[in-house]
Amino acid sequence: MIRPFLILGMIGGAALISTDIRAAEEQPRRPALPFTISKETTYLTEPLRPDGSVDYAEAINQRLSKGVTPENNAATLIWRAAGPKEIPQELRLRYFARIGIEPPPEEDEYLMELHAFPSRRRPPLSEDERKSFDDQYEIASSRPWSRNECPLVAQWLSVNEKPLALVVEASKRPRRFDPLLVGGDDIESLVASLLPAISVYRNAARLLCARALLKANENDLAGAWDDLLACYRLSRLMGQGSTLIDSLVTVAIDSMTFNVVAALLERRHIGGEQLARIRRDLAALTPQRRMAEIVDHGERFMFLDCVAMLARQGLSKIDDFAYLAAGERRPALKTLLTDILGKTAIDWDYLMRRGNGWYDRISAALNKPSLAQRKVALTQLRDDLNELKKSAVDPMKFFADGLVRPRQAVSERLADVLIALLVPAVDSCVLVEDRWIVQHDVLLTGLAVAAYAEEHGRLPESLDRLVPNYLPKVPEDLLCDPPGTNLRYKTTDEGCLIYSVGRNGRDDEGRTMADAEKAARSDPKQVGEQPGWDDITIRLKAPAGKVQ
């Protein structure tokens, strides 16, 4: 990570030159804010804080809460299931008032997280039991299991039974509004906003997936699907958030659920009305929000809010989001110097316009109509961002510019630093999103193959046989380069594979990341050096053990 104070040390001399030049000129009366409120700079022009600056958190809250009531908001039930512990005490009244409920009591039968169970169980687990619990959870999260096989996981599910019922009820609601709250003692910016629901949703999904595999082992396939459908709904609710973190957790929950459904399709026969119900339920799910929208609004607003905070409160605040985790404390003189530089040497309007330019480019790249076009645009963005990072720490270039145009040079370097710090690795995020889209296509295609086999008593010769009665068309593998290649279909002695080549773009013959982990564990020579397989795969058995 670029250390911003390195740049601030280099710009001191240029800032003094800039100050002397401006002092010799007639100074206009300074506005109340050191930047302009406009579409080109702050992007939003309302709502405003008391000091006249844009309140980005409130803007996001107003947009996300529109049409939300305590009765249709999943968050009101989720927090009844989870309890208030994830929200700092000093913010609880504000937080729960914003979603229209009283704070839940401090103690009740709340969700117990996976990592908390060993210490909170009565009596707590011993060291040997903790190791056994980890091993049991690995089984219970990957295939059907019994209570005798994984008794500790069964206990974990049992203590979560009551709150998990609330989670399932919450998943059926259409909206989720968890307010963004900022304004702590040290930093007043979106970058420090709370996202307490993330751990709650992730833990609930782990519980539901493990319980679904237990139900499947007990031949309760309808109950297993109820839990998995709740997971899919939870992921859609999480996707209604405003940050990339919300989106990445959404994809993580979806992937966890996909793996469990894949395990059931491989190990259990699902047919008849139950198979038809699964296909109907998946088709009825709300589409996921695209990351393009998240980046263009939530991430852009986070950047602009950080710039506005530095402009209002001083450059010393850059530590609060740049490297506060390092525990460094700057001497008061350096803090004073950086704040003076912020007031005298920085064109804050330029910083905002420059940041908006980058987010305009990102938005245009993310909205390209094809994956191939997105890849080209995002690769260029990544290369340009890497060059910008190098420029930000080039002292010779800075001083050369600073002698000729000191204020502009200072502003440009600070803009480079902030862009390097705050603009996300969008190309990586989009790969995650594209993998999620392909994963969903693989699942729908696998279910279509199962439906064909159920009706015809045999597997299809090719995926083309599924069109138009089971699929409108054979899905394209968006992760395959060059584009235009459909999902793979391969018959085996046991049945068939439906798969995508995954993020590595290589055909690993249907072998997944889970297969790579198993191979590494089974071969001592592979420890720490597992194969790079990452195909996205559904495996199905042939009816009556035959492939036709």
Side-chain angles (χ1 to χ4, degrees):
M1 176 181 289
I2 295 173
R3 296 177 64 83
F5 201 73
L6 174 65
I7 306 303
L8 299 177
M10 294 191 300
I11 66 180
L16 294 177
I17 295 173
S18 173
T19 303
D20 289 342
I21 293 173
R22 295 178 68 205
E25 302 172 352
E26 181 180 353
Q27 296 296 316
R29 190 165 68 89
R30 291 179 63 83
L33 293 171
F35 52 83
T36 306
I37 304 293
S38 71
K39 174 69 174 176
E40 292 72 28
T41 53
T42 54
Y43 195 81
L44 299 179
T45 57
E46 58 181 14
L48 301 178
R49 295 187 177 97
D51 66 0
S53 62
V54 174
D55 190 337
Y56 291 97
E58 180 58 23
I60 291 173
N61 285 336
Q62 288 181 7
R63 178 169 62 86
L64 295 183
S65 65
K66 188 174 182 180
V68 176
T69 66
E71 292 71 33
N72 69 11
N73 188 5
T76 60
L77 290 179
I78 289 292
W79 291 114
R80 281 177 54 195
K85 66 182 184 302
E86 295 292 335
I87 302 170
Q89 183 74 45
E90 65 274 14
L91 295 178
R92 288 179 189 173
L93 287 177
R94 286 176 56 200
Y95 196 95
F96 291 112
R98 195 67 194 254
I99 61 175
I101 63 172
E102 293 292 324
E106 196 71 32
E107 298 294 334
D108 205 338
E109 293 182 54
Y110 292 136
L111 287 171
M112 186 180 296
E113 294 187 350
L114 180 70
H115 67 82
F117 174 73
S119 59
R120 291 180 58 190
R121 197 201 74 155
R122 293 295 176 264
L125 300 184
S126 66
E127 285 303 315
D128 288 343
E129 287 174 325
R130 286 171 184 258
K131 175 64 167 60
S132 179
F133 178 61
D134 292 340
D135 294 340
Q136 290 178 30
Y137 177 71
E138 185 173 343
I139 293 171
S141 61
S142 60
R143 62 169 174 79
W145 58 281
S146 69
R147 297 177 188 274
N148 289 335
E149 186 179 19
C150 303
L152 292 174
V153 177
Q155 289 179 32
W156 178 53
L157 288 176
S158 179
V159 299
N160 281 288
E161 184 175 349
K162 180 179 176 181
L164 205 53
L166 282 173
V167 170
V168 172
E169 186 181 349
S171 75
K172 299 174 183 178
R173 293 189 170 185
R175 301 292 300 277
R176 176 183 78 90
F177 170 58
D178 280 292
L180 292 175
L181 295 185
V182 299
D185 292 337
D186 294 325
I187 182 167
E188 188 176 340
S189 171
L190 277 175
V191 76
S193 58
L194 293 174
L195 298 174
I198 285 173
S199 62
V200 176
Y201 276 68
R202 193 158 39 197
N203 184 58
R206 290 192 184 106
L207 283 159
L208 288 167
C209 284
R211 192 170 73 175
L213 288 168
L214 174 62
K215 290 179 178 179
N217 191 69
E218 297 170 346
N219 293 319
D220 181 10
L221 294 179
W225 176 245
D226 286 340
D227 283 347
L228 294 172
L229 180 59
C231 282
Y232 277 124
R233 287 170 172 160
L234 288 177
S235 77
R236 268 67 180 172
L237 291 167
M238 177 57 61
Q240 293 181 23
S242 62
T243 71
L244 277 179
I245 296 175
D246 289 303
S247 295
L248 294 176
V249 172
T250 293
V251 173
I253 293 174
D254 241 55
S255 296
M256 188 190 313
T257 312
F258 169 85
N259 290 334
V260 173
V261 177
L264 292 185
L265 287 171
E266 180 180 2
R267 297 169 183 269
R268 293 288 184 272
H269 173 257
I270 303 175
E273 177 54 34
Q274 186 58 45
L275 181 61
R277 180 201 166 195
I278 291 173
R279 297 181 70 202
R280 287 196 305 270
D281 288 343
L282 287 173
L285 286 174
T286 303
Q288 291 281 23
R289 288 177 66 202
R290 298 300 301 267
M291 286 193 183
E293 180 183 351
I294 300 293
V295 171
D296 194 33
H297 290 89
E299 297 299 315
R300 182 198 295 265
F301 296 166
M302 190 173 295
F303 177 90
L304 294 173
D305 203 26
C306 286
V307 174
M309 182 193 72
L310 294 176
R312 297 191 328 269
Q313 300 182 29
L315 282 176
S316 60
K317 281 290 181 180
I318 202 168
D319 272 2
D320 288 335
F321 56 84
Y323 51 90
L324 185 61
E328 300 186 20
R329 290 299 177 198
R330 181 177 303 114
L333 181 60
K334 287 187 177 180
T335 299
L336 178 62
L337 173 62
T338 56
D339 289 345
I340 291 174
L341 292 177
K343 294 175 181 176
T344 60
I346 307 298
D347 182 349
W348 296 103
D349 283 358
Y350 170 81
L351 264 70
M352 291 180 170
R353 289 195 300 270
R354 182 88 178 275
N356 277 322
W358 273 90
Y359 280 96
D360 288 344
R361 286 186 62 191
I362 292 171
S363 178
L366 293 177
N367 284 300
K368 295 289 185 183
S370 72
L371 176 62
Q373 291 172 310
R374 290 201 298 277
K375 281 184 176 179
V376 170
L378 289 170
T379 297
Q380 185 62 56
L381 272 169
R382 183 193 61 210
D383 293 344
D384 291 349
L385 187 59
N386 288 336
E387 286 299 315
L388 180 143
K389 291 177 181 179
K390 295 176 185 177
S391 172
V393 292
D394 183 351
M396 297 305 295
K397 186 176 188 306
F398 171 75
F399 280 120
D401 290 346
L403 291 173
V404 179
R405 47 194 184 99
R407 187 167 187 254
Q408 186 173 349
V410 169
S411 303
E412 288 177 355
R413 289 302 162 267
L414 184 56
D416 290 349
V417 168
L418 293 176
I419 289 167
L421 277 172
L422 299 173
V423 172
V426 177
D427 54 338
S428 298
C429 295
V430 170
L431 272 177
V432 171
E433 180 179 56
D434 288 333
R435 191 180 193 281
W436 174 84
I437 294 171
V438 171
Q439 178 179 274
H440 194 63
D441 287 342
V442 169
L443 176 59
L444 295 181
T445 305
L447 291 167
V449 171
Y452 180 100
E454 181 76 9
E455 182 173 347
H456 295 273
R458 66 180 188 277
L459 294 169
E461 294 84 358
S462 70
L463 296 183
D464 291 332
R465 293 284 188 175
L466 303 176
V467 180
N469 292 335
Y470 303 91
L471 288 174
K473 65 177 182 178
V474 178
E476 179 182 341
D477 187 349
L478 296 178
L479 298 176
C480 185
D481 196 10
T485 303
N486 291 337
L487 295 177
R488 266 80 168 164
Y489 178 71
K490 180 189 296 184
T491 57
T492 68
D493 292 339
E494 296 79 24
C496 69
L497 306 176
I498 304 100
Y499 67 98
S500 156
V501 297
R503 290 179 63 178
N504 66 15
R506 184 184 67 229
D507 187 344
D508 294 318
E509 298 181 345
R511 291 173 294 190
T512 66
M513 287 187 280
D515 295 324
E517 292 171 3
K518 291 177 185 176
R521 286 196 299 268
S522 62
D523 184 355
K525 297 178 182 178
Q526 294 284 356
V527 174
E529 199 174 314
Q530 69 185 39
W533 308 327
D534 77 338
D535 288 353
I536 305 167
T537 306
I538 291 288
R539 295 179 172 91
L540 296 174
K541 292 182 179 179
K546 296 181 181 180
V547 178
Q548 299 185 27

